[in-house]
Amino acid sequence: MCLIIPEQYKSSLGVIQTQQAIKELKDYFEQRLSEELKLTRVSSPLFVLPETGTNDNLNGVEKAVNFNVPNINKNVEIVQSLAKWKRVALKKYGFETGRGIYTDMNAIRKDEELDNIHSIYVDQWDWEKVITTQLRNITYLQDTVKAIVGALKRTQDQACRRFPILNRVIPEKITFLTTQQLEDRYPDKTP
């Protein structure tokens, strides 16, 4: 992998200040996201037993990193995605409609195509919420997106207060496009 840094790029913060800002703003965003979406933080697994069926192999061709745990004499897989595990956790913890979980997932995706934004090491937030069939609609989805963007904007405001050299980049208005609108706009493009 070759890291490509644009010629004009210059970091606004020093290396240590950047690391401090990442930690502070990550914590700040987690709290805002939790408040907006009514989520509770839970710890997620780093590895799972393959027979549980909770490791998601994404698009079906990735092979999970695995190793043997001698004390139990079983192979375990490093998590690639928590999509299935989150649904099991919601049921296991007994979350009610309108409530959910979030976690800071760590994973290893050995088959990932590497570039400036993709790595074999994944550190990402993941969340899931219990909703009713009636809430599976475009209005609820858009309201959820607006809540997430609201949490991001408040985090951006905090970043600019703490580090005045930083600029606001999140647009004020959110534009929603459906798949059909995109297909109509770009009929010569593939999905």
Side-chain angles (χ1 to χ4, degrees):
M1 183 197 109
C2 179
L3 180 65
I4 301 168
I5 299 174
E7 281 185 39
Q8 305 83 358
Y9 177 78
K10 178 163 177 6
S11 180
S12 298
L13 305 174
V15 176
I16 291 177
Q17 195 177 31
T18 297
Q19 291 301 312
Q20 292 167 336
I22 289 169
K23 173 64 173 136
E24 180 180 323
L25 297 171
K26 188 175 179 182
D27 291 347
Y28 188 91
F29 176 73
E30 276 189 29
Q31 189 59 40
R32 304 296 82 74
L33 184 70
S34 173
E35 291 165 0
E36 287 288 339
L37 300 182
K38 298 181 179 139
L39 305 175
T40 300
R41 189 193 185 291
V42 297
S43 295
S44 60
L46 179 58
F47 47 86
V48 294
L49 292 166
E51 57 267 24
T52 64
T54 56
N55 199 7
D56 194 332
N57 67 355
L58 304 172
N59 66 22
V61 297
E62 294 87 357
K63 290 186 173 47
V65 175
N66 66 71
F67 60 94
N68 183 269
V69 179
N71 286 352
I72 61 172
N73 196 28
K74 290 190 176 217
N75 280 338
V76 295
E77 296 176 340
I78 301 288
V79 170
Q80 294 189 93
S81 167
L82 293 176
K84 295 174 184 173
W85 177 87
K86 291 179 299 184
R87 291 176 184 95
V88 170
L90 285 172
K91 181 166 179 53
K92 176 182 172 183
Y93 297 136
F95 280 90
E96 298 175 8
T97 300
R99 300 253 171 214
I101 60 174
Y102 78 93
T103 190
D104 189 358
M105 181 189 95
N106 294 292
I108 296 174
R109 295 180 182 157
K110 70 180 189 74
D111 296 322
E112 189 75 33
E113 290 190 29
L114 307 178
D115 59 27
N116 279 9
I117 60 172
H118 293 90
S119 167
I120 61 170
Y121 172 70
V122 178
D123 180 359
Q124 70 184 36
W125 281 295
D126 217 334
W127 66 274
E128 191 88 13
K129 191 173 183 177
V130 178
I131 63 170
T132 63
T133 303
Q134 293 78 16
L135 290 177
R136 291 178 186 231
N137 61 62
I138 194 74
T139 301
Y140 186 79
L141 176 62
Q142 289 179 348
D143 288 345
T144 300
V145 169
K146 289 174 188 174
I148 295 167
V149 172
L152 286 168
K153 284 183 179 179
R154 282 191 294 291
T155 303
Q156 176 179 253
D157 291 344
Q158 175 69 5
C160 291
R161 277 191 298 276
R162 287 279 294 122
F163 309 98
I165 195 166
L166 300 179
N167 297 314
R168 285 174 172 73
V169 295
I170 301 172
E172 285 304 312
K173 183 175 184 246
I174 303 171
T175 302
F176 293 99
L177 293 172
T178 65
T179 303
Q180 188 60 56
Q181 288 169 319
L182 287 171
E183 287 178 0
D184 293 346
R185 189 178 290 182
Y186 304 103
D188 58 326
K189 304 291 182 192
T190 66

mmCIF file of all heavy atoms in Angstrom, residues 90-128:
data_model
loop_
_atom_site.group_PDB
_atom_site.id
_atom_site.type_symbol
_atom_site.label_atom_id
_atom_site.label_comp_id
_atom_site.label_asym_id
_atom_site.label_seq_id
_atom_site.Cartn_x
_atom_site.Cartn_y
_atom_site.Cartn_z
ATOM 1 N N LEU A 90 -29.002 -7.077 20.954
ATOM 2 C CA LEU A 90 -30.240 -6.354 21.272
ATOM 3 C C LEU A 90 -31.242 -7.284 21.952
ATOM 4 O O LEU A 90 -31.870 -6.909 22.948
ATOM 5 C CB LEU A 90 -30.862 -5.758 20.012
ATOM 6 C CG LEU A 90 -30.188 -4.523 19.443
ATOM 7 C CD1 LEU A 90 -30.807 -4.168 18.095
ATOM 8 C CD2 LEU A 90 -30.282 -3.347 20.396
ATOM 9 N N LYS A 91 -31.373 -8.478 21.429
ATOM 10 C CA LYS A 91 -32.315 -9.444 22.018
ATOM 11 C C LYS A 91 -31.804 -9.910 23.379
ATOM 12 O O LYS A 91 -32.554 -9.943 24.353
ATOM 13 C CB LYS A 91 -32.524 -10.621 21.072
ATOM 14 C CG LYS A 91 -33.511 -11.644 21.604
ATOM 15 C CD LYS A 91 -33.939 -12.595 20.525
ATOM 16 C CE LYS A 91 -34.890 -13.650 20.999
ATOM 17 N NZ LYS A 91 -36.056 -13.202 21.684
ATOM 18 N N LYS A 92 -30.527 -10.254 23.448
ATOM 19 C CA LYS A 92 -29.940 -10.762 24.688
ATOM 20 C C LYS A 92 -30.089 -9.757 25.825
ATOM 21 O O LYS A 92 -30.411 -10.131 26.956
ATOM 22 C CB LYS A 92 -28.461 -11.079 24.448
ATOM 23 C CG LYS A 92 -27.701 -11.529 25.671
ATOM 24 C CD LYS A 92 -26.244 -11.769 25.327
ATOM 25 C CE LYS A 92 -25.414 -12.028 26.559
ATOM 26 N NZ LYS A 92 -23.993 -12.190 26.242
ATOM 27 N N TYR A 93 -29.853 -8.480 25.541
ATOM 28 C CA TYR A 93 -29.925 -7.445 26.575
ATOM 29 C C TYR A 93 -31.344 -6.934 26.806
ATOM 30 O O TYR A 93 -31.585 -6.148 27.710
ATOM 31 C CB TYR A 93 -29.001 -6.272 26.229
ATOM 32 C CG TYR A 93 -27.528 -6.642 26.164
ATOM 33 C CD1 TYR A 93 -26.729 -6.174 25.139
ATOM 34 C CD2 TYR A 93 -26.939 -7.449 27.127
ATOM 35 C CE1 TYR A 93 -25.380 -6.503 25.070
ATOM 36 C CE2 TYR A 93 -25.592 -7.775 27.071
ATOM 37 C CZ TYR A 93 -24.821 -7.302 26.044
ATOM 38 O OH TYR A 93 -23.494 -7.619 25.983
ATOM 39 N N GLY A 94 -32.289 -7.352 25.969
ATOM 40 C CA GLY A 94 -33.686 -6.998 26.182
ATOM 41 C C GLY A 94 -34.035 -5.546 25.909
ATOM 42 O O GLY A 94 -34.882 -4.975 26.600
ATOM 43 N N PHE A 95 -33.436 -4.952 24.894
ATOM 44 C CA PHE A 95 -33.736 -3.553 24.575
ATOM 45 C C PHE A 95 -35.154 -3.403 24.043
ATOM 46 O O PHE A 95 -35.632 -4.244 23.285
ATOM 47 C CB PHE A 95 -32.730 -3.001 23.558
ATOM 48 C CG PHE A 95 -31.435 -2.603 24.193
ATOM 49 C CD1 PHE A 95 -30.405 -3.515 24.318
ATOM 50 C CD2 PHE A 95 -31.258 -1.325 24.688
ATOM 51 C CE1 PHE A 95 -29.211 -3.162 24.924
ATOM 52 C CE2 PHE A 95 -30.072 -0.956 25.296
ATOM 53 C CZ PHE A 95 -29.045 -1.884 25.416
ATOM 54 N N GLU A 96 -35.792 -2.323 24.458
ATOM 55 C CA GLU A 96 -37.161 -2.040 24.030
ATOM 56 C C GLU A 96 -37.144 -1.223 22.747
ATOM 57 O O GLU A 96 -36.126 -0.630 22.381
ATOM 58 C CB GLU A 96 -37.888 -1.261 25.128
ATOM 59 C CG GLU A 96 -38.023 -2.028 26.428
ATOM 60 C CD GLU A 96 -38.639 -1.189 27.536
ATOM 61 O OE1 GLU A 96 -39.094 -0.060 27.265
ATOM 62 O OE2 GLU A 96 -38.666 -1.678 28.676
ATOM 63 N N THR A 97 -38.302 -1.158 22.090
ATOM 64 C CA THR A 97 -38.457 -0.363 20.878
ATOM 65 C C THR A 97 -38.011 1.081 21.140
ATOM 66 O O THR A 97 -38.341 1.668 22.159
ATOM 67 C CB THR A 97 -39.922 -0.382 20.413
ATOM 68 O OG1 THR A 97 -40.288 -1.737 20.148
ATOM 69 C CG2 THR A 97 -40.118 0.459 19.170
ATOM 70 N N GLY A 98 -37.243 1.611 20.188
ATOM 71 C CA GLY A 98 -36.766 2.992 20.292
ATOM 72 C C GLY A 98 -35.429 3.125 20.998
ATOM 73 O O GLY A 98 -34.876 4.215 21.084
ATOM 74 N N ARG A 99 -34.911 2.041 21.509
ATOM 75 C CA ARG A 99 -33.617 2.036 22.206
ATOM 76 C C ARG A 99 -32.657 1.108 21.465
ATOM 77 O O ARG A 99 -33.072 0.239 20.706
ATOM 78 C CB ARG A 99 -33.777 1.556 23.640
ATOM 79 C CG ARG A 99 -34.704 2.401 24.454
ATOM 80 C CD ARG A 99 -33.908 3.204 25.412
ATOM 81 N NE ARG A 99 -34.755 4.183 26.080
ATOM 82 C CZ ARG A 99 -34.325 5.356 26.432
ATOM 83 N NH1 ARG A 99 -33.085 5.705 26.187
ATOM 84 N NH2 ARG A 99 -35.097 6.208 27.043
ATOM 85 N N GLY A 100 -31.367 1.284 21.732
ATOM 86 C CA GLY A 100 -30.409 0.438 21.045
ATOM 87 C C GLY A 100 -29.041 0.470 21.683
ATOM 88 O O GLY A 100 -28.862 0.946 22.810
ATOM 89 N N ILE A 101 -28.071 -0.028 20.926
ATOM 90 C CA ILE A 101 -26.699 -0.141 21.404
ATOM 91 C C ILE A 101 -25.741 0.539 20.429
ATOM 92 O O ILE A 101 -26.043 0.700 19.256
ATOM 93 C CB ILE A 101 -26.268 -1.618 21.570
ATOM 94 C CG1 ILE A 101 -26.361 -2.375 20.237
ATOM 95 C CG2 ILE A 101 -27.090 -2.296 22.648
ATOM 96 C CD1 ILE A 101 -25.818 -3.794 20.270
ATOM 97 N N TYR A 102 -24.597 0.932 20.967
ATOM 98 C CA TYR A 102 -23.485 1.320 20.105
ATOM 99 C C TYR A 102 -22.225 0.731 20.701
ATOM 100 O O TYR A 102 -22.166 0.423 21.898
ATOM 101 C CB TYR A 102 -23.382 2.833 19.922
ATOM 102 C CG TYR A 102 -22.764 3.591 21.073
ATOM 103 C CD1 TYR A 102 -21.400 3.869 21.103
ATOM 104 C CD2 TYR A 102 -23.544 4.047 22.127
ATOM 105 C CE1 TYR A 102 -20.835 4.569 22.160
ATOM 106 C CE2 TYR A 102 -22.996 4.748 23.177
ATOM 107 C CZ TYR A 102 -21.635 5.011 23.190
ATOM 108 O OH TYR A 102 -21.079 5.697 24.247
ATOM 109 N N THR A 103 -21.250 0.526 19.854
ATOM 110 C CA THR A 103 -19.991 -0.048 20.292
ATOM 111 C C THR A 103 -18.868 0.510 19.432
ATOM 112 O O THR A 103 -19.099 1.036 18.349
ATOM 113 C CB THR A 103 -20.039 -1.594 20.210
ATOM 114 O OG1 THR A 103 -18.894 -2.136 20.863
ATOM 115 C CG2 THR A 103 -20.111 -2.081 18.779
ATOM 116 N N ASP A 104 -17.689 0.431 19.950
ATOM 117 C CA ASP A 104 -16.495 0.816 19.212
ATOM 118 C C ASP A 104 -15.860 -0.487 18.744
ATOM 119 O O ASP A 104 -15.202 -1.174 19.514
ATOM 120 C CB ASP A 104 -15.546 1.614 20.104
ATOM 121 C CG ASP A 104 -14.397 2.214 19.342
ATOM 122 O OD1 ASP A 104 -14.290 1.995 18.118
ATOM 123 O OD2 ASP A 104 -13.570 2.902 19.960
ATOM 124 N N MET A 105 -16.142 -0.841 17.504
ATOM 125 C CA MET A 105 -15.711 -2.121 16.965
ATOM 126 C C MET A 105 -14.262 -2.065 16.495
ATOM 127 O O MET A 105 -13.852 -1.116 15.835
ATOM 128 C CB MET A 105 -16.595 -2.517 15.777
ATOM 129 C CG MET A 105 -16.216 -3.859 15.183
ATOM 130 S SD MET A 105 -17.079 -4.191 13.642
ATOM 131 C CE MET A 105 -15.882 -3.623 12.467
ATOM 132 N N ASN A 106 -13.507 -3.091 16.833
ATOM 133 C CA ASN A 106 -12.167 -3.282 16.297
ATOM 134 C C ASN A 106 -12.182 -4.579 15.513
ATOM 135 O O ASN A 106 -12.756 -5.574 15.967
ATOM 136 C CB ASN A 106 -11.126 -3.366 17.423
ATOM 137 C CG ASN A 106 -11.016 -2.055 18.150
ATOM 138 O OD1 ASN A 106 -10.550 -1.076 17.591
ATOM 139 N ND2 ASN A 106 -11.477 -2.015 19.383
ATOM 140 N N ALA A 107 -11.596 -4.558 14.341
ATOM 141 C CA ALA A 107 -11.614 -5.741 13.495
ATOM 142 C C ALA A 107 -10.349 -5.797 12.649
ATOM 143 O O ALA A 107 -9.633 -4.802 12.520
ATOM 144 C CB ALA A 107 -12.844 -5.710 12.582
ATOM 145 N N ILE A 108 -10.116 -6.947 12.090
ATOM 146 C CA ILE A 108 -9.035 -7.125 11.116
ATOM 147 C C ILE A 108 -9.675 -7.699 9.862
ATOM 148 O O ILE A 108 -10.341 -8.742 9.907
ATOM 149 C CB ILE A 108 -7.937 -8.066 11.638
ATOM 150 C CG1 ILE A 108 -7.264 -7.448 12.867
ATOM 151 C CG2 ILE A 108 -6.915 -8.346 10.538
ATOM 152 C CD1 ILE A 108 -6.257 -8.354 13.538
ATOM 153 N N ARG A 109 -9.495 -6.994 8.760
ATOM 154 C CA ARG A 109 -10.004 -7.445 7.469
ATOM 155 C C ARG A 109 -8.807 -7.661 6.545
ATOM 156 O O ARG A 109 -8.363 -6.740 5.860
ATOM 157 C CB ARG A 109 -10.975 -6.419 6.887
ATOM 158 C CG ARG A 109 -12.232 -6.267 7.710
ATOM 159 C CD ARG A 109 -13.162 -5.244 7.119
ATOM 160 N NE ARG A 109 -14.348 -5.072 7.949
ATOM 161 C CZ ARG A 109 -15.106 -3.987 7.943
ATOM 162 N NH1 ARG A 109 -14.817 -2.978 7.130
ATOM 163 N NH2 ARG A 109 -16.147 -3.905 8.723
ATOM 164 N N LYS A 110 -8.312 -8.873 6.543
ATOM 165 C CA LYS A 110 -7.070 -9.149 5.820
ATOM 166 C C LYS A 110 -7.208 -9.007 4.308
ATOM 167 O O LYS A 110 -6.226 -8.787 3.621
ATOM 168 C CB LYS A 110 -6.522 -10.518 6.185
ATOM 169 C CG LYS A 110 -7.303 -11.700 5.681
ATOM 170 C CD LYS A 110 -6.654 -13.000 6.118
ATOM 171 C CE LYS A 110 -7.284 -14.192 5.463
ATOM 172 N NZ LYS A 110 -6.931 -14.350 4.065
ATOM 173 N N ASP A 111 -8.442 -9.101 3.786
ATOM 174 C CA ASP A 111 -8.650 -9.011 2.342
ATOM 175 C C ASP A 111 -9.022 -7.606 1.867
ATOM 176 O O ASP A 111 -9.360 -7.414 0.698
ATOM 177 C CB ASP A 111 -9.738 -9.998 1.915
ATOM 178 C CG ASP A 111 -9.324 -11.442 2.172
ATOM 179 O OD1 ASP A 111 -8.137 -11.755 1.962
ATOM 180 O OD2 ASP A 111 -10.180 -12.245 2.591
ATOM 181 N N GLU A 112 -8.970 -6.630 2.775
ATOM 182 C CA GLU A 112 -9.352 -5.260 2.421
ATOM 183 C C GLU A 112 -8.403 -4.693 1.363
ATOM 184 O O GLU A 112 -7.191 -4.925 1.403
ATOM 185 C CB GLU A 112 -9.293 -4.371 3.676
ATOM 186 C CG GLU A 112 -9.869 -3.007 3.497
ATOM 187 C CD GLU A 112 -11.386 -3.008 3.475
ATOM 188 O OE1 GLU A 112 -12.020 -3.828 4.155
ATOM 189 O OE2 GLU A 112 -11.937 -2.155 2.760
ATOM 190 N N GLU A 113 -8.964 -3.971 0.387
ATOM 191 C CA GLU A 113 -8.121 -3.260 -0.581
ATOM 192 C C GLU A 113 -7.650 -1.983 0.096
ATOM 193 O O GLU A 113 -8.456 -1.153 0.523
ATOM 194 C CB GLU A 113 -8.907 -2.956 -1.850
ATOM 195 C CG GLU A 113 -9.198 -4.212 -2.651
ATOM 196 C CD GLU A 113 -9.772 -3.908 -4.023
ATOM 197 O OE1 GLU A 113 -9.455 -2.826 -4.585
ATOM 198 O OE2 GLU A 113 -10.526 -4.745 -4.527
ATOM 199 N N LEU A 114 -6.349 -1.822 0.199
ATOM 200 C CA LEU A 114 -5.772 -0.736 0.976
ATOM 201 C C LEU A 114 -5.636 0.545 0.164
ATOM 202 O O LEU A 114 -5.240 0.526 -0.990
ATOM 203 C CB LEU A 114 -4.394 -1.153 1.503
ATOM 204 C CG LEU A 114 -4.365 -2.481 2.280
ATOM 205 C CD1 LEU A 114 -2.945 -2.804 2.711
ATOM 206 C CD2 LEU A 114 -5.294 -2.429 3.470
ATOM 207 N N ASP A 115 -5.989 1.651 0.804
ATOM 208 C CA ASP A 115 -5.781 2.980 0.228
ATOM 209 C C ASP A 115 -5.762 3.984 1.380
ATOM 210 O O ASP A 115 -5.607 3.600 2.534
ATOM 211 C CB ASP A 115 -6.849 3.308 -0.825
ATOM 212 C CG ASP A 115 -8.269 3.274 -0.277
ATOM 213 O OD1 ASP A 115 -8.465 3.500 0.933
ATOM 214 O OD2 ASP A 115 -9.204 3.044 -1.071
ATOM 215 N N ASN A 116 -5.935 5.264 1.072
ATOM 216 C CA ASN A 116 -5.847 6.284 2.110
ATOM 217 C C ASN A 116 -6.923 6.170 3.182
ATOM 218 O O ASN A 116 -6.753 6.683 4.280
ATOM 219 C CB ASN A 116 -5.907 7.688 1.496
ATOM 220 C CG ASN A 116 -4.568 8.114 0.944
ATOM 221 O OD1 ASN A 116 -3.639 7.322 0.871
ATOM 222 N ND2 ASN A 116 -4.455 9.360 0.555
ATOM 223 N N ILE A 117 -8.037 5.532 2.880
ATOM 224 C CA ILE A 117 -9.093 5.440 3.877
ATOM 225 C C ILE A 117 -9.458 4.006 4.251
ATOM 226 O O ILE A 117 -10.368 3.792 5.034
ATOM 227 C CB ILE A 117 -10.362 6.215 3.432
ATOM 228 C CG1 ILE A 117 -10.909 5.655 2.123
ATOM 229 C CG2 ILE A 117 -10.085 7.707 3.333
ATOM 230 C CD1 ILE A 117 -12.259 6.232 1.722
ATOM 231 N N HIS A 118 -8.759 3.022 3.711
ATOM 232 C CA HIS A 118 -9.021 1.631 4.031
ATOM 233 C C HIS A 118 -7.745 0.975 4.548
ATOM 234 O O HIS A 118 -6.680 1.148 3.972
ATOM 235 C CB HIS A 118 -9.531 0.865 2.808
ATOM 236 C CG HIS A 118 -10.868 1.325 2.358
ATOM 237 N ND1 HIS A 118 -11.027 2.324 1.434
ATOM 238 C CD2 HIS A 118 -12.104 0.953 2.738
ATOM 239 C CE1 HIS A 118 -12.316 2.540 1.247
ATOM 240 N NE2 HIS A 118 -13.001 1.725 2.024
ATOM 241 N N SER A 119 -7.901 0.207 5.609
ATOM 242 C CA SER A 119 -6.787 -0.460 6.255
ATOM 243 C C SER A 119 -7.212 -1.880 6.604
ATOM 244 O O SER A 119 -8.404 -2.170 6.651
ATOM 245 C CB SER A 119 -6.430 0.311 7.536
ATOM 246 O OG SER A 119 -5.556 -0.428 8.356
ATOM 247 N N ILE A 120 -6.262 -2.755 6.877
ATOM 248 C CA ILE A 120 -6.649 -4.077 7.349
ATOM 249 C C ILE A 120 -7.127 -3.999 8.792
ATOM 250 O O ILE A 120 -7.855 -4.869 9.252
ATOM 251 C CB ILE A 120 -5.528 -5.125 7.196
ATOM 252 C CG1 ILE A 120 -4.294 -4.750 8.004
ATOM 253 C CG2 ILE A 120 -5.192 -5.348 5.738
ATOM 254 C CD1 ILE A 120 -3.259 -5.868 8.088
ATOM 255 N N TYR A 121 -6.717 -2.953 9.511
ATOM 256 C CA TYR A 121 -7.205 -2.736 10.879
ATOM 257 C C TYR A 121 -8.381 -1.774 10.824
ATOM 258 O O TYR A 121 -8.288 -0.687 10.262
ATOM 259 C CB TYR A 121 -6.109 -2.158 11.771
ATOM 260 C CG TYR A 121 -6.617 -1.747 13.125
ATOM 261 C CD1 TYR A 121 -7.021 -2.709 14.051
ATOM 262 C CD2 TYR A 121 -6.731 -0.409 13.473
ATOM 263 C CE1 TYR A 121 -7.514 -2.336 15.285
ATOM 264 C CE2 TYR A 121 -7.217 -0.029 14.713
ATOM 265 C CZ TYR A 121 -7.605 -0.996 15.612
ATOM 266 O OH TYR A 121 -8.097 -0.633 16.834
ATOM 267 N N VAL A 122 -9.501 -2.180 11.405
ATOM 268 C CA VAL A 122 -10.711 -1.370 11.405
ATOM 269 C C VAL A 122 -11.035 -0.952 12.832
ATOM 270 O O VAL A 122 -11.048 -1.780 13.736
ATOM 271 C CB VAL A 122 -11.908 -2.167 10.812
ATOM 272 C CG1 VAL A 122 -13.185 -1.349 10.850
ATOM 273 C CG2 VAL A 122 -11.596 -2.632 9.406
ATOM 274 N N ASP A 123 -11.269 0.333 13.022
ATOM 275 C CA ASP A 123 -11.725 0.880 14.305
ATOM 276 C C ASP A 123 -12.899 1.771 13.960
ATOM 277 O O ASP A 123 -12.714 2.845 13.389
ATOM 278 C CB ASP A 123 -10.603 1.676 14.974
ATOM 279 C CG ASP A 123 -11.012 2.270 16.316
ATOM 280 O OD1 ASP A 123 -12.165 2.092 16.742
ATOM 281 O OD2 ASP A 123 -10.168 2.935 16.935
ATOM 282 N N GLN A 124 -14.110 1.303 14.229
ATOM 283 C CA GLN A 124 -15.278 2.066 13.807
ATOM 284 C C GLN A 124 -16.402 1.946 14.822
ATOM 285 O O GLN A 124 -16.494 0.979 15.564
ATOM 286 C CB GLN A 124 -15.776 1.584 12.441
ATOM 287 C CG GLN A 124 -16.415 0.208 12.466
ATOM 288 C CD GLN A 124 -16.808 -0.297 11.096
ATOM 289 O OE1 GLN A 124 -16.135 -0.063 10.110
ATOM 290 N NE2 GLN A 124 -17.918 -1.012 11.036
ATOM 291 N N TRP A 125 -17.248 2.969 14.831
ATOM 292 C CA TRP A 125 -18.467 2.884 15.630
ATOM 293 C C TRP A 125 -19.455 2.019 14.887
ATOM 294 O O TRP A 125 -19.515 2.011 13.666
ATOM 295 C CB TRP A 125 -19.098 4.255 15.832
ATOM 296 C CG TRP A 125 -18.450 5.071 16.877
ATOM 297 C CD1 TRP A 125 -18.395 4.811 18.219
ATOM 298 C CD2 TRP A 125 -17.766 6.296 16.695
ATOM 299 N NE1 TRP A 125 -17.725 5.798 18.864
ATOM 300 C CE2 TRP A 125 -17.323 6.728 17.950
ATOM 301 C CE3 TRP A 125 -17.490 7.072 15.575
ATOM 302 C CZ2 TRP A 125 -16.615 7.900 18.124
ATOM 303 C CZ3 TRP A 125 -16.788 8.240 15.745
ATOM 304 C CH2 TRP A 125 -16.354 8.642 17.010
ATOM 305 N N ASP A 126 -20.243 1.336 15.654
ATOM 306 C CA ASP A 126 -21.294 0.519 15.092
ATOM 307 C C ASP A 126 -22.485 0.637 16.017
ATOM 308 O O ASP A 126 -22.314 0.690 17.228
ATOM 309 C CB ASP A 126 -20.816 -0.941 15.020
ATOM 310 C CG ASP A 126 -21.304 -1.671 13.793
ATOM 311 O OD1 ASP A 126 -22.357 -1.285 13.252
ATOM 312 O OD2 ASP A 126 -20.644 -2.639 13.379
ATOM 313 N N TRP A 127 -23.666 0.740 15.452
ATOM 314 C CA TRP A 127 -24.850 0.857 16.309
ATOM 315 C C TRP A 127 -26.031 0.137 15.690
ATOM 316 O O TRP A 127 -26.044 -0.136 14.491
ATOM 317 C CB TRP A 127 -25.186 2.327 16.586
ATOM 318 C CG TRP A 127 -25.618 3.121 15.379
ATOM 319 C CD1 TRP A 127 -24.807 3.763 14.494
ATOM 320 C CD2 TRP A 127 -26.956 3.356 14.934
ATOM 321 N NE1 TRP A 127 -25.559 4.367 13.524
ATOM 322 C CE2 TRP A 127 -26.888 4.144 13.770
ATOM 323 C CE3 TRP A 127 -28.208 2.972 15.410
ATOM 324 C CZ2 TRP A 127 -28.022 4.548 13.078
ATOM 325 C CZ3 TRP A 127 -29.343 3.377 14.711
ATOM 326 C CH2 TRP A 127 -29.228 4.173 13.563
ATOM 327 N N GLU A 128 -26.982 -0.179 16.517
ATOM 328 C CA GLU A 128 -28.195 -0.865 16.085
ATOM 329 C C GLU A 128 -29.293 -0.494 17.070
ATOM 330 O O GLU A 128 -29.048 -0.326 18.252
ATOM 331 C CB GLU A 128 -27.976 -2.377 16.087
ATOM 332 C CG GLU A 128 -29.058 -3.166 15.408
ATOM 333 C CD GLU A 128 -28.823 -3.331 13.917
ATOM 334 O OE1 GLU A 128 -27.721 -3.054 13.422
ATOM 335 O OE2 GLU A 128 -29.777 -3.745 13.239
#
